[in-house]
Amino acid sequence: MRILNRKKKLIRNIIALIILLIIFVKGSGLYFTPLGAHRDSERTAHYGPSEIVHIEDFRKGKYILCRYDKWFSCNTVKRTLFFFWRFGNQVHGMENDLSEPLSYSWDGEGNFYKAYGIINDKNINKVELILSNGDRLAQEDFYGDMFLIPWQADGPRSFSGIIAYDKNGDIIYERVYK
Amino acid sequence: MGFQRSKEFLDTVLSYVKFPFDKEDIRMELQEHIWDKIDYYTQQGLTYYEAEEKAIKDMGDPKEIGIQLNKEHHPLIGWLYLASKVLVILFVIINIFMTVPVIVDLGYSIFDDKLIREIPKEDIVYKIDVNERVQIDDRVINFKNVVYDKNGTLHISYYYYDKKLWGSGWSLGTIGIITDDKGSKHYRGSSHTTGGIVSKGMVSVENFRKDAKTLIIEYDRYNRYYKLEIPLKSGENIE
């Protein structure tokens, strides 16, 4: 009889724990999945819902590369408390400027940076970033017509420019900042 | 040496019970059984020692009882129950600390109009009750008052909340572009908001035209749109 009571109490406690955990998670801005965090981030930033083009892991979580109508974005969701998720920087949609060979944006949080964008000129074969210390990071395998280049800045490695090349190595687009 | 035999019996039984937190309860329960039997036998005329001896004998083999009780008070169920109990208490405390400030803040934000009250009454040229409601996604924005002060600043007070009560997310970044019927655009203006389930905000636009008859608030971002046209009491001193 006593053991039966204990089993019943255990079940009651587990149900109570599930309810309390949901209240805790919802009340503290945590999510059980990265996409849950991403969707709520877009919803409350009044953007999207966007089409997810690519998801890239980084040490703190995931970058979610998206497009929505004439805008593109790259949301950050971060892992927290071992198995929960919360969103990082506020998601912003950048308008794709079709008059340019490519449209891009970049941002960072802490030491983790990313540059991303849309390629409008089909001749672009490679996108290369130039960092302030002279390092160059390139991407040739795009996600459809989008690219995402993440990097970690442990020192002076901020964004300093972007160059796009065709298959012959000729420059199609260049924005380099001094 | 009263109860010495009982103690030995109980110690033997409990040596087989592995879940430590149940041992005391089991001891108490078995002890009461033995005392009842001792009472019975002493009333039948046996001496105390004879009664205790007989009571212990009636109880059975302590090893068998111990093994049986250990099965019933399974350590795994016991530990799981204990862990779940601790976790429930912990989460109740955490949730109380988390939700009480939110509830207090909700009450505060509903009943207190602090932002507008910060404008000195003697500085107010006119105040308009707007009470216009718009919605972007799940966020409802209620424009409450417009106050024009003698420094030429127009204050727009509003509150907003998310219809998804259980959702979390970003606070409202902008209420939109502020213009007037004279064609002046006011891109710059100070704003501040409170937090909580119902957030309050106020945008203050400096150098707002005194002769403007209509305030226009237009939001047009990422395929979301609203436009409010609020008639103003231009130049009229009502307070």
Side-chain angles (χ1 to χ4, degrees), chain B residues 82-183:
Chain B
L82 204 67
S84 69
K85 197 174 167 181
V86 170
L87 282 172
V88 165
I89 293 167
L90 191 72
F91 271 99
V92 165
I93 294 167
I94 290 171
N95 284 346
I96 286 172
F97 273 98
M98 215 169 62
T99 52
V100 166
V102 173
I103 293 164
V104 170
D105 184 64
L106 175 65
Y108 179 79
S109 59
I110 287 173
F111 298 111
D112 188 64
D113 201 4
K114 193 181 166 204
L115 296 177
I116 281 288
R117 279 198 293 109
E118 280 174 357
I119 305 167
K121 210 171 178 181
E122 60 274 16
D123 286 354
I124 295 176
V125 177
Y126 62 80
K127 179 181 174 186
I128 299 166
D129 292 329
V130 179
N131 290 323
E132 287 273 3
R133 214 165 97 144
V134 294
Q135 186 171 338
I136 332 172
D137 296 309
D138 298 313
R139 196 190 310 265
V140 175
I141 310 164
N142 197 315
F143 289 91
K144 208 175 168 195
N145 304 112
V146 168
V147 171
Y148 190 75
D149 72 22
K150 66 182 183 186
N151 300 316
T153 303
L154 188 86
H155 306 274
I156 305 160
S157 85
Y158 57 94
Y159 66 86
Y160 62 85
Y161 57 90
D162 194 331
K163 283 174 87 176
K164 270 194 176 176
L165 188 63
W166 287 108
S168 57
W170 303 107
S171 55
L172 180 66
T174 173
I175 57 169
I177 293 171
I178 297 163
T179 55
D180 59 42
D181 59 307
K182 306 290 180 192

Side-chain angles (χ1 to χ4, degrees), chain B residues 1-39:
Chain B
M1 292 296 280
F3 301 121
Q4 183 56 38
R5 286 284 293 120
S6 307
K7 187 178 179 304
E8 285 170 10
F9 174 84
L10 292 171
D11 287 346
T12 309
V13 170
L14 293 175
S15 68
Y16 293 95
V17 177
K18 302 298 176 200
F19 187 58
F21 294 98
D22 281 350
K23 284 191 176 187
E24 201 50 40
D25 286 346
I26 293 169
R27 180 185 290 277
M28 294 294 288
E29 203 173 322
L30 293 177
Q31 184 83 72
E32 278 173 21
H33 281 305
I34 294 168
W35 284 344
D36 287 345
K37 282 179 185 289
I38 291 171
D39 272 352

